[in-house]
Amino acid sequence: MNTETSQFATPLIDPFERPINYLRVSVTDRCDLRCVYCMAEDMTFLPKAQVLSLEELDRMCSAFVDLGVRKLRLTGGEPLVRKNIMWLIRRLGRHLDSGALDELTLTSNGTQLARYAQELADAGVKRINISLDTLDPDKFKAITRWGDLERVLEGVEAARAAGLAIKINAVALRGVNDDEFDRLLNWCGEGGFDLTFIEVMPLGEIGEQRLDQYLPLSMVRGDLSKRWTLTESEHATGGPARYFDIAETGQRLGFITPLTHNFCEACNRVRLTCTGTLYMCLGQEDAADLRAPLRASENDGLLKDAIREAIGRKPKGHDFIIDRRQNAPAVGRHMSVTGG
Ligand code: SAM
Ligand code: SF4
């Protein structure tokens, strides 16, 4: 019988001496949008039988918390389209109450936030990342294929009213939203939101030419610096972004640059899919099945052994490349599988 608890557990340390204390969980691969860089329009989703139940997701997450994970981020697909997701979030809130978890948070497209923001705050969620690439309704529709900007803006407002700290994530897309970056900085400044730009990453076949979408953030930062006073910030969220303070707005600006700046040295995270597969690196194929050990036993001994074994083969880093010779995705799965 496994009686290991966080008090006694040896923390998860990978082969490169990196402590692993951050778990991102894709609670569903489904989504109510079809962003062009993320999904094809006619996606085939996983059969429901393969997907972990909410109770199983709770057990998985709790096993990681027992093994020293201090931060949980629920993502997807769109986490808030999973039926009864609030049950899981409220349930995981017990680890915040006990002090075992520092943070429980989400990445969301915002479409369901008008409905859920207050409940999230009540469950102990303090911060949320909302993905929004443009403030132009037509462009928003073009990027997301199915989305309605107004609805997302209502969601952002609801999150603010509920007291959640908001970070806006925007994928930088050449020729699509690159004329709007100043507007986004201003809008986030007025709303009191941080903003992070993300470089488009080569994940999954999406039927679009990535090379056309790819915009190096080093160029974006250089350009923004001509009009905004950006000072490198000490701020760290345990994530891969580099942050700058924006003197003019008092908010922060982050850049996630997997392609132009390698952030793997400080990687503290692993990613769990909604079928219980653990990816030790976003940019590598190697994975561990945790669903079998979870289902094989009612106590968590086998599961925790499998988690430790998996962390023991976390790779040093990824090797994403987008160039003309290699326009195929670096890994075959879509972002909605591992949740970004
Ligand atoms: N549906 C939620 C959302 O959009 O926020 C959560 C899941 S989504 C996969 C998480 C983040 O990944 C979003 O900010 C999205 O913009 C980003 N993303 C998706 N595909 C991407 C890609 N190929 N390259 C870079 N970022 C991507
Ligand atoms: Fe859905 Fe998020 Fe992917 Fe857009 S980025 S299709 S909202 S999972």
Side-chain angles (χ1 to χ4, degrees), residues 235-293:
H235 180 70
T237 56
R242 279 174 75 195
Y243 283 96
F244 294 80
D245 294 317
I246 315 170
E248 288 79 1
T249 67
Q251 295 303 129
R252 269 186 296 259
L253 178 63
F255 295 92
I256 299 189
T257 55
L259 297 154
T260 52
H261 172 80
N262 197 316
F263 51 63
C264 301
E265 317 83 62
C267 185
N268 61 346
R269 68 201 43 211
V270 287
R271 297 173 157 86
L272 185 72
T273 72
C274 59
T275 57
T277 301
L278 188 73
Y279 284 96
M280 285 72 84
C281 173
L282 181 64
Q284 303 280 358
E285 299 283 5
D286 189 30
D289 173 31
L290 299 183
R291 187 177 57 186

Side-chain angles (χ1 to χ4, degrees), residues 31 33-35 38-39 77 109:
C31 187
L33 301 182
R34 288 290 180 279
C35 302
C38 180
M39 293 195 186
N109 64 23

